[in-house]
């Protein structure tokens, strides 16, 4: 791992001789943050790595015994855990696809001269700023089979959204789409408005059809920013906990974070849950790595 | 745009505007519904067909803030006569509830949770933005060996799933007695927001020309003086935007709060859903609590509207 090491600074030597030296200031400004993050993020992870090789249960006073890789072996051979991963994957696909379709579509509509465009955009962004837990709660009211406004508006009678094992995951995804499509819209809009207008004019002169224009001009130019939105949302949907936990308690909506929470804080299988946490962590870091590559690529443009 | 529009383009444009309006209304409908439920009398909150036109009331808020117990029948006339005006609002709605205790008003759990949310969100925001601004300046102005790796390390701490971090933190907090305390949550939220604050602030400070400080150094300022007197005022807008983002994140956080607190330091996000509990929930009270909780975020969103894109992309996209 990289450490903060003295290197030559570009400042004037006269200025550097007054007060604190630049190197001291740099270290004073950077090191506390790095230390804080190491103590409160990295150290706990090392701590739990240790527990992941034990059968420790935080609910008892029994000392932890070392069991080697047994937790990992059992987890990776457990079909129920794989079922949780499959549910998570399904949720990610449905939710992110929905957000891209709705978000990008809305951005295409908004990318023209529209009265009160700034105001409308701000209103559309409101859902994603709200608390997921509280959003989950009030969507329960909207989804209610007997007096929910969704069933009334769609004429579905007393259709069960959340109590129905088949439907519940889609209900959670719909709420997530409502919340986060605006995020995809916001980023797409930034990409769309950066497409030089003369490209469209040239295409119009060449009598290019709307499909040709979209696939050959618009999409390739928006793609890098759209990828940032997609990867970021994929990562967030993979980690999702609040919405699904509050909206339903179906086995069909038990995404991996909920399984992890139950294993750690309801079944108190601390050692095993630490091992599962590590499996999840490695997956998240892999997605983060891809995400940062795209962030830097867009930044460099 | 001075481009001449053909008739079909104008028609298309009108169609797009209509579609945008429909989408906007659809997106706002859930927020409108929870807001209107917060002002309904209880018997109109869960009707079929849904009640759209009604006389707005503030009795849900009275019920939200005071502890209540259920009565078997409507309150006695002398109880009604002795009640203050806001208590009568509840009785007038035909409700068989009375505030508990003999005479004195007892607060419900809500104001306390709301205060906890404020304390935790504001303190962690100040810490995260403060440390983040210094660190961002360090990365922006000085050569740091392995800068890209360090910045990736900083960002990756933000991406950790809360439940993953919560398991060891829970054990460590239990060992040092930080479970269910304000400081326990403040530390977690500061760590969570710190990486975000560094990334965002670095973008803002990168935009301030180095020449400003160099001129100040030539004029006899020390590096620290130049930072406090030249850079900080220039970065004020960025600091404000970053602070609002950090505040909203801490304010909205659920998983850590659910795991690390249960009574004393519990914030509003785990508390509000727990009210649904058993039996028939009073949705007007839940809606009132939700409305008050969402209101600050809605106001901040409007204040922040020009910086949303930047914040949401960790400073990668500037407008």
């Amino acid at each position: 791992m990289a450490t903060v090491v003295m290197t030559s600074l570009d400042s004037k030597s006269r200025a550097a001789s007054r007060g604190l030296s630049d190197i001291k200031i740099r270290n004073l400004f950077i090191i506390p943050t790095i230390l804080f993050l190491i103590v409160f993020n990295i150290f706990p992870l090392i701590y739990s790595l240790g527990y992941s090789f034990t059968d420790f249960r935080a609910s008892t006073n029994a000392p932890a015994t070392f069991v080697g890789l047994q937790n990992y072996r059992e987890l990776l051979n457990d079909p129920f855990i794989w079922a949780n991963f499959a549910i998570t994957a399904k949720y990610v696909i449905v939710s992110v696809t929905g957000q891209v379709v709705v978000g990008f579509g809305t951005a295409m509509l908004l990318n023209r001269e529209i009265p009160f465009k700034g105001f409308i955009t701000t209103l559309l962004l409101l859902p994603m700023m709200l608390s997921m837990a509280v959003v989950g709660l009030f969507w329960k009211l909207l989804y209610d089979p007997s007096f929910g406004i969704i069933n009334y508006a769609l004429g579905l009678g007393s259709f069960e959204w959340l109590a129905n094992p088949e439907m519940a995951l889609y209900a959670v995804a719909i709420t997530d789409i409502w919340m986060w499509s605006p995020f995809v819209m916001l980023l797409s809009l930034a990409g769309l408005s950066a497409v030089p207008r003369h490209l469209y004019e040239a295409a119009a002169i060449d009598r290019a059809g709307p499909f040709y224009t979209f696939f050959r001009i618009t999409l390739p130019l928006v793609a890098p920013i759209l990828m940032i939105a997609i990867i970021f949302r994929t990562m967030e949907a993979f980690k999702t906990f609040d919405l699904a936990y509050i909206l339903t308690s179906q086995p069909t909506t038990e995404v991996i974070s909920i399984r992890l929470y139950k294993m750690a804080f309801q079944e108190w299988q601390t050692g095993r849950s630490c091992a599962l946490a590590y499996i999840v962590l490695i997956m998240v870091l892999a997605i983060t790595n891809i995400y940062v590559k795209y962030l830097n690529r867009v930044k460099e443009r | 745009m001075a481009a001449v529009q053909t008739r079909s383009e104008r028609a298309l444009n009108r169609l797009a505007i209509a579609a945008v309006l429909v989408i906007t209304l659809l997106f706002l409908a859930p927020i409108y519904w929870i807001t209107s439920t917060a002002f309904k009398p209880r018997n109109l909150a869960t009707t079929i067909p849904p009640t759209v036109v009604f006389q707005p009331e503030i009795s849900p808020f009275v019920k939200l803030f005071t502890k209540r117990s259920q009565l078997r029948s409507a309150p006695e006339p002398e109880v009604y006569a002795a009640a203050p005006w806001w208590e009568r609002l509840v009785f007038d709605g035909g409700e068989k509830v009375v505030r508990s205790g003999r005479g004195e008003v007892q607060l419900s759990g809500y104001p306390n949770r709301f205060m906890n949310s404020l304390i935790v969100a504001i303190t962690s925001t100040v810490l995260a933005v403060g440390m983040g601004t210094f660190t961002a300046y360090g990365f922006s102005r000085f050569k740091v060996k392995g800068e890209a790796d360090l910045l990736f390390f900083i960002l990756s701490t933000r991406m950790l799933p809360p439940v993953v971090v919560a398991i060891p933190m829970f054990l460590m907090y239990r060992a040092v007695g930080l479970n269910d305390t304000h400081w326990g949550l403040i530390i977690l939220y500061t760590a969570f927001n710190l990486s975000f604050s560094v990334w965002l602030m670095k973008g803002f400070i990168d935009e301030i020309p180095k020449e400003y400080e160099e001129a100040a150094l030539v004029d006899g300022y020390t590096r620290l003086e130049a930072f406090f007197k030249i850079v900080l005022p220039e970065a004020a807008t960025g600091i404000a935007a970053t602070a609002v983002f950090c505040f909203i994140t801490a304010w909205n956080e659920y998983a850590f709060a659910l795991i690390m607190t249960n009574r004393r330091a519990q914030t509003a996000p785990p508390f509000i859903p727990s009210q649904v509990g058993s039996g028939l929930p009073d949705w007007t009270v839940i809606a009132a609590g939700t409305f008050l909780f969402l209101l600050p975020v809605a106001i901040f969103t409007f204040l922040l509207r020009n910086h949303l894109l930047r914040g949401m992309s960790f400073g990668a996209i500037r407008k």
Side-chain angles (χ1 to χ4, degrees), chain B residues 138-152:
Chain B
F139 277 115
S140 173
R141 291 301 196 256
F142 304 119
K143 278 186 194 147
V144 179
K145 209 174 174 188
E147 177 172 331
D149 291 335
L150 276 177
L151 283 172
F152 173 73

Side-chain angles (χ1 to χ4, degrees), chain A residues 7 18 22 26 29 33 44 58 112 125 129 131 133-134 137-138 146-147 152 178 235 239 265 281 292 295, chain B residues 13 27 34 46 48-49 134-135 143 155 159-160 168 174 217 221 223 252 254 259 276 290 297 301 308 316:
Chain A
T7 46
R18 274 193 308 268
D22 279 4
R26 183 198 67 189
F29 279 16
T33 292
R112 60 187 77 223
L125 296 178
M129 307 304 284
S131 163
V134 174
L137 177 69
F138 73 72
S146 48
F147 52 78
Y152 183 77
W178 174 76
M235 188 160 60
K239 295 191 293 187
F265 296 105
L281 184 67
V292 173
L295 269 189
Chain B
N13 227 6
F27 265 85
I34 200 73
T46 52
I48 282 289
F134 285 119
T135 308
K143 278 186 194 147
L155 184 69
M159 303 303 171
L160 301 174
R174 202 171 63 167
L217 291 176
Y221 279 54
R223 182 62 93 162
N252 287 344
Y254 173 73
I259 294 167
V276 174
T290 302
V297 175
T301 303
L308 282 175

Side-chain angles (χ1 to χ4, degrees), chain A residues 2-3 7-8 11-12 14-15 18 20 22 25-26 29-30 32-34 36-38 40-44 47-48 51 58 109-110 112-115 119-120 122-126 128-131 133-134 137-139 141-142 146-147 149 152 178 181-183 186-187 190 197 225 232 235 239 241-242 245-246 260-261 264-265 268 270 273-274 277 281 284-285 288-289 291-292 295 299, chain B residues 1 13 16-17 19-20 23-24 27-28 30-31 33-34 46 48-50 131 134-135 137-139 142-146 150 152-157 159-161 163-172 174 187 190-191 194 199 214 217-218 220-224 227 248 252 254-255 258-259 269 272-273 276 283 286 290 293-294 297-298 301-302 305 308-309 312-317:
Chain A
T3 47
T7 46
S8 64
S11 63
K12 322 275 175 298
R14 198 165 60 89
R18 274 193 308 268
L20 290 168
D22 279 4
I25 289 175
R26 183 198 67 189
F29 279 16
I30 292 179
T33 292
I34 305 282
F36 190 92
L37 291 175
I38 288 175
F40 293 108
N41 276 317
I42 303 308
F43 179 64
Y47 195 73
S48 67
Y51 275 125
L109 288 172
L110 271 172
R112 60 187 77 223
E113 278 171 73
I114 280 177
F119 181 67
I120 290 174
T122 310
L123 284 180
L124 282 173
L125 296 178
L126 211 47
M128 73 174 178
M129 307 304 284
L130 306 179
S131 163
V134 174
L137 177 69
F138 73 72
W139 274 74
L141 172 69
L142 305 179
S146 48
F147 52 78
I149 192 168
Y152 183 77
W178 174 76
S181 295
F183 173 78
L186 182 67
L187 265 69
R197 196 156 282 271
I225 287 188
F232 188 73
M235 188 160 60
K239 295 191 293 187
F241 174 77
D242 310 6
Y245 186 73
I246 295 224
L260 186 57
Y261 171 76
F265 296 105
W268 293 105
T270 313
S273 67
C274 286
L281 184 67
V284 170
L285 282 182
T288 307
N289 211 344
Y291 176 64
V292 173
L295 269 189
K299 229 179 198 171
Chain B
M1 284 299 125
N13 227 6
I17 292 173
V20 165
I23 290 170
T24 311
F27 265 85
L28 291 180
I31 298 173
W33 196 250
I34 200 73
T46 52
I48 282 289
M131 288 170 76
F134 285 119
T135 308
Y137 180 79
F139 277 115
F142 304 119
K143 278 186 194 147
V144 179
K145 209 174 174 188
L150 276 177
F152 173 73
F153 159 72
I154 290 176
L155 184 69
S156 66
T157 60
M159 303 303 171
L160 301 174
V163 185
V164 169
V165 181
I167 299 170
M169 286 307 276
F170 177 83
L171 298 174
M172 292 165 70
R174 202 171 63 167
I187 289 171
T190 304
L194 189 50
W199 270 64
E214 274 158 18
L217 291 176
V218 170
Y221 279 54
T222 64
R223 182 62 93 162
L224 271 184
F227 171 74
I248 290 177
N252 287 344
Y254 173 73
L258 176 73
I259 294 167
I272 297 175
V276 174
W283 274 102
I286 295 163
T290 302
F293 182 74
L294 299 182
V297 175
T301 303
F302 273 88
R305 60 188 181 279
L308 282 175
L309 178 64
M312 285 293 169
S313 66
F314 289 83
I317 304 161

Side-chain angles (χ1 to χ4, degrees), chain A residues 91 130-137 140 172 175-176 179-180 236-237 239-248 253 255 257-258 261, chain B residues 161-163 189 249 251-259 269-270 273:
Chain A
Y91 175 76
L130 306 179
S131 163
M132 282 210 154
V134 174
V135 165
L137 177 69
K140 248 182 169 165
V172 179
T175 310
D176 200 46
M179 255 189 110
W180 290 102
E236 293 285 310
K239 295 191 293 187
T240 194
F241 174 77
D242 310 6
L243 266 189
Y245 186 73
I246 295 224
L247 273 171
T248 76
T253 59
V255 290
S257 293
I258 295 181
Y261 171 76
Chain B
V163 185
Y189 293 171
T249 309
W251 182 255
N252 287 344
E253 208 283 332
Y254 173 73
F256 281 135
L258 176 73
I259 294 167

Side-chain angles (χ1 to χ4, degrees), chain A residues 72-119:
Chain A
Y72 290 93
R73 208 165 35 234
E74 278 176 9
L75 283 168
L76 292 173
N77 288 320
D78 185 348
F80 292 105
I81 296 292
W82 287 107
N84 293 128
F85 275 117
I87 290 168
T88 313
K90 186 176 166 191
Y91 175 76
V92 169
I93 293 168
V94 173
S95 175
V96 175
T97 310
Q99 287 163 32
V100 171
V101 170
V102 176
F104 191 74
T106 313
M108 289 288 285
L109 288 172
L110 271 172
N111 188 34
R112 60 187 77 223
E113 278 171 73
I114 280 177
F116 307 110
K117 187 168 156 184
F119 181 67

Side-chain angles (χ1 to χ4, degrees), chain B:
Chain B
M1 284 299 125
V4 185
Q5 287 185 320
T6 65
R7 184 177 295 210
S8 68
E9 273 170 0
R10 266 205 307 269
L12 204 67
N13 227 6
R14 262 193 225 125
L15 208 67
I17 292 173
V20 165
L21 280 180
V22 171
I23 290 170
T24 311
L25 291 179
L26 277 178
F27 265 85
L28 291 180
I31 298 173
Y32 169 75
W33 196 250
I34 200 73
T35 307
S36 79
T37 304
F39 293 93
K40 278 178 186 173
R42 187 174 182 179
N43 55 359
L44 295 182
T46 52
T47 55
I48 282 289
T51 311
V52 180
V53 184
F54 60 95
Q55 185 83 34
E57 283 197 12
I58 58 161
S59 63
F61 292 90
V62 176
K63 288 187 277 178
L64 174 68
F65 280 103
T66 48
K67 209 173 191 173
R68 317 220 137 244
S69 43
Q70 193 79 34
L71 291 180
R72 291 243 173 95
S73 54
E76 318 265 308
E78 61 266 25
V79 174
Y80 184 90
W85 64 271
W86 44 266
E87 185 76 19
R88 287 184 198 174
L89 289 177
V90 179
F91 295 151
D92 290 344
E95 296 228 32
K96 296 166 187 157
V97 288
V98 70
R99 61 178 204 265
S100 47
R102 296 236 165 260
E104 83 279 17
V105 181
Q106 282 184 310
L107 289 179
S108 67
Y110 187 82
N112 174 260
R113 302 316 194 279
F114 198 87
M115 274 310 289
N116 285 343
S117 275
L118 275 179
I119 292 168
V120 169
I122 291 174
T123 316
S124 68
T125 298
V126 170
L127 288 174
V129 176
M131 288 170 76
T133 305
F134 285 119
T135 308
Y137 180 79
F139 277 115
S140 173
R141 291 301 196 256
F142 304 119
K143 278 186 194 147
V144 179
K145 209 174 174 188
E147 177 172 331
D149 291 335
L150 276 177
L151 283 172
F152 173 73
F153 159 72
I154 290 176
L155 184 69
S156 66
T157 60
R158 160 85 181 202
M159 303 303 171
L160 301 174
V163 185
V164 169
V165 181
I167 299 170
M169 286 307 276
F170 177 83
L171 298 174
M172 292 165 70
Y173 275 9
R174 202 171 63 167
V176 297
L178 273 173
N179 266 344
D180 202 16
T181 61
H182 289 144
W183 277 110
L185 276 188
I186 289 168
I187 289 171
L188 278 170
Y189 293 171
T190 304
F192 192 68
N193 272 331
L194 189 50
S195 56
F196 172 78
S197 150
V198 170
W199 270 64
L200 202 54
M201 279 315 298
K202 183 172 178 295
F204 281 114
I205 292 175
D206 280 345
E207 274 168 21
I208 303 169
K210 271 185 183 155
E211 289 74 26
Y212 288 11
E213 293 148 80
E214 274 158 18
L217 291 176
V218 170
D219 284 349
Y221 279 54
T222 64
R223 182 62 93 162
L224 271 184
E225 283 171 341
F227 171 74
F228 282 109
K229 292 187 184 153
I230 311 285
V231 178
L232 278 191
E234 285 291 319
T237 317
I239 292 173
T242 309
V244 173
F245 267 109
C246 290
F247 176 86
I248 290 177
T249 309
W251 182 255
N252 287 344
E253 208 283 332
Y254 173 73
F256 281 135
L258 176 73
I259 294 167
M260 301 294 178
T261 65
N262 41 51
R263 241 194 128 70
R264 268 185 307 149
Q266 193 183 42
T267 53
F271 175 74
I272 297 175
S274 71
Q275 290 175 293
V276 174
S278 54
L280 276 178
D282 185 348
W283 274 102
T284 62
V285 175
I286 295 163
T290 302
F291 171 75
L292 279 187
F293 182 74
L294 299 182
L295 194 60
V297 175
I299 294 168
F300 276 143
T301 303
F302 273 88
L303 295 177
L304 202 61
R305 60 188 181 279
N306 294 324
H307 300 283
L308 282 175
L309 178 64
R310 203 173 164 148
M312 285 293 169
S313 66
F314 289 83
I317 304 161
R318 285 149 206 189
K319 211 159 34 180

